[in-house]
Amino acid sequence: MKGLRRRRVVHQVTDAQPSLSQDIHRREISYLIKMGIRTLCLILAVVVPVPWPYRLLFIAGAVFLPYIAVIGANERSKDTPPPTFQSPEANQSEIPMHRREIGS
């Protein structure tokens, strides 16, 4: 009989996903850090007299970091499940109230 019993699934607090506000806060901080580095690269490329290879590196950072920052800010954490969109089944035989013509 012992083999026929199912094991109970025990959920622990550490298994809980981070809240949406914590996830958004984490992404905002990451975005601000990357954009700060981008601003620093832009300033270093314009103001500081450095050789051209370094200047090109700073310019590349100023150009490509915004793309990387936006992609990172839009990325959800690994623990967050993908959003589900549930649309109710539409009754195709009925015309919606806002689409009915006068006199019908």
Side-chain angles (χ1 to χ4, degrees):
M1 277 309 221
K2 286 185 180 180
L4 298 177
R5 276 203 219 168
R6 287 186 167 176
R7 293 190 64 162
R8 290 181 54 194
V9 177
V10 178
H11 297 284
Q12 298 178 357
V13 175
T14 56
D15 295 338
Q17 299 172 356
S19 68
L20 181 60
S21 60
Q22 287 176 337
D23 187 42
I24 289 172
H25 180 71
R26 179 192 57 82
R27 291 188 281 160
E28 284 175 346
I29 296 298
S30 172
Y31 178 80
L32 290 174
I33 289 171
K34 290 173 188 170
M35 292 308 286
I37 294 171
R38 182 232 182 184
T39 304
L40 184 65
C41 285
L42 186 63
I43 291 171
L44 289 174
V46 173
V47 175
V48 178
V50 292
W52 273 104
Y54 295 113
R55 190 170 298 223
L56 289 176
L57 181 68
F58 293 144
I59 292 171
V63 169
F64 294 113
L65 269 175
Y67 174 77
I68 294 168
V70 169
I71 295 298
N74 288 334
E75 179 182 320
R76 293 175 179 254
S77 67
K78 306 289 186 266
D79 299 332
T80 307
T84 57
F85 299 103
Q86 297 176 355
S87 61
E89 290 290 325
N91 186 355
Q92 297 296 323
S93 63
E94 182 180 326
I95 300 173
M97 289 297 281
H98 68 282
R99 298 292 234 145
R100 293 187 180 170
E101 295 180 15
I102 298 175
S104 61

